[in-house]
Amino acid sequence: SSDLTQDPAVSVALGQTVTITCQGDSLRNYFPSWYQQKPGQAPVLIIFAKNNRPSGITDRFSASTSGNTASLTITGAQAEDEADYYCNCRDRYGDQLIFGGGTKLTVL
Amino acid sequence: QVHLQQWGAGQLKPSETLSLTCVVYSGSLSDYYWSWIRQSPGKGLEWIGEINHSGITHYNPSLASRVTISVDTSKDQFSLKLNSVTAADTAVYYCARRDYGFWSGSHYYFYYMDVWDKGTTVTVS
């Protein structure tokens, strides 16, 4: 099986742009999905496919993938964007799904 | 609007079997896979496994020896059993709907979980 690697923590000043990355071999074959999780709440899907947002998700979130690295960009970060963010995709070596370790985003 | 609701025992002793059931409301089990995910206290998300309406399953290799996921289409529900639990299985357990697609321009598949329940805490002690 393979892994997805994320930076444990990232910070951004209010209103600025921040990128959260996810690295792994499986990203050469699968677009990841991205989830936002706030304390005490279930994860929420924010990005899927190449760069699709479910209905109701702000367009401050966007994503891209190149080689073995996927990026989630938050443009004009707001206080409510402070949360944990997880990437997820199918493992290129099997049928299982894999999660990155998560990135804790702090909005300063 | 599809929503999920799970139920099951929240307190277990070591060596017992964890048993959770997730009911699908306002939707059908067909056309999707149905996943279980867990999150240990202070840790990240861990995918446990999934099943479709035909009973085809995929499991996390690290848990496969202890996990069974089943489906009951007559009741629109799917279930998780995890045997021989230890304190390490203490976590919030989520059920979710999993969909997938193919991006022809890049020849990439994509998988995503778009509907989640609120989660249930299971404590092994």
Side-chain angles (χ1 to χ4, degrees):
Chain A
S1 63
S2 66
D3 298 323
L4 295 177
T5 301
Q6 297 182 243
D7 290 330
V10 170
S11 62
V12 61
L14 185 68
Q16 296 303 300
T17 296
V18 63
T19 296
I20 294 169
T21 60
C22 173
Q23 288 190 303
D25 283 346
S26 295
L27 298 174
R28 298 185 185 278
N29 301 90
Y30 300 102
F31 286 130
S33 49
W34 290 92
Y35 303 86
Q36 178 193 66
Q37 186 181 34
K38 297 182 179 179
Q41 298 182 18
V44 173
L45 175 69
I46 57 173
I47 294 280
F48 67 101
K50 188 173 184 181
N51 183 24
N52 288 21
R53 285 173 285 104
S55 174
I57 300 300
T58 174
D59 61 3
R60 291 198 304 278
F61 295 114
S62 63
S64 64
T65 299
S66 178
N68 73 336
T69 301
S71 301
L72 172 70
T73 298
I74 307 173
T75 303
Q78 301 299 303
E80 61 263 33
D81 299 331
E82 188 163 286
D84 294 327
Y85 292 86
Y86 294 89
C87 58
N88 169 259
C89 73
R90 184 164 179 169
D91 187 340
R92 73 188 304 205
Y93 301 115
D95 293 328
Q96 63 269 19
L97 300 183
I98 50 177
F99 279 100
T103 297
K104 183 177 181 60
L105 176 67
T106 300
V107 179
L108 303 171
Chain B
Q1 186 88 353
V2 174
H3 77 273
L4 307 178
Q5 187 168 356
Q6 66 168 288
W7 49 272
Q11 190 81 30
L12 295 171
K13 292 180 169 56
S15 81
E16 291 184 335
T17 296
L18 178 156
S19 183
L20 297 171
T21 295
C22 186
V23 183
V24 180
Y25 292 100
S26 303
S28 170
L29 288 174
S30 302
D31 300 327
Y32 298 97
Y33 270 81
W34 302 89
S35 290
W36 290 97
I37 304 99
R38 71 179 183 179
Q39 186 171 36
S40 301
K43 302 296 185 182
L45 300 171
E46 180 180 29
W47 182 80
I48 299 171
E50 64 183 8
I51 192 166
N52 71 359
H53 70 284
S54 299
I56 297 173
T57 54
H58 303 130
Y59 295 134
N60 185 328
S62 68
L63 296 169
S65 63
R66 297 193 293 132
V67 170
T68 301
I69 297 175
S70 59
V71 66
D72 185 340
T73 55
S74 69
K75 297 180 180 178
D76 287 330
Q77 64 187 38
F78 58 106
S79 300
L80 169 69
K81 289 190 186 302
L82 179 67
N83 59 36
S84 305
V85 297
T86 70
D89 296 310
T90 293
V92 176
Y93 286 75
Y94 298 99
C95 56
R97 184 177 77 175
R98 197 271 285 164
D99 202 355
Y100 79 102
F102 179 68
W103 197 276
S104 58
S106 305
H107 300 284
Y108 270 46
Y109 281 91
F110 55 91
Y111 293 71
Y112 58 100
M113 289 168 278
D114 60 346
V115 180
W116 296 64
D117 81 310
K118 64 179 175 59
T120 192
T121 299
V122 176
T123 303
V124 181
S125 175

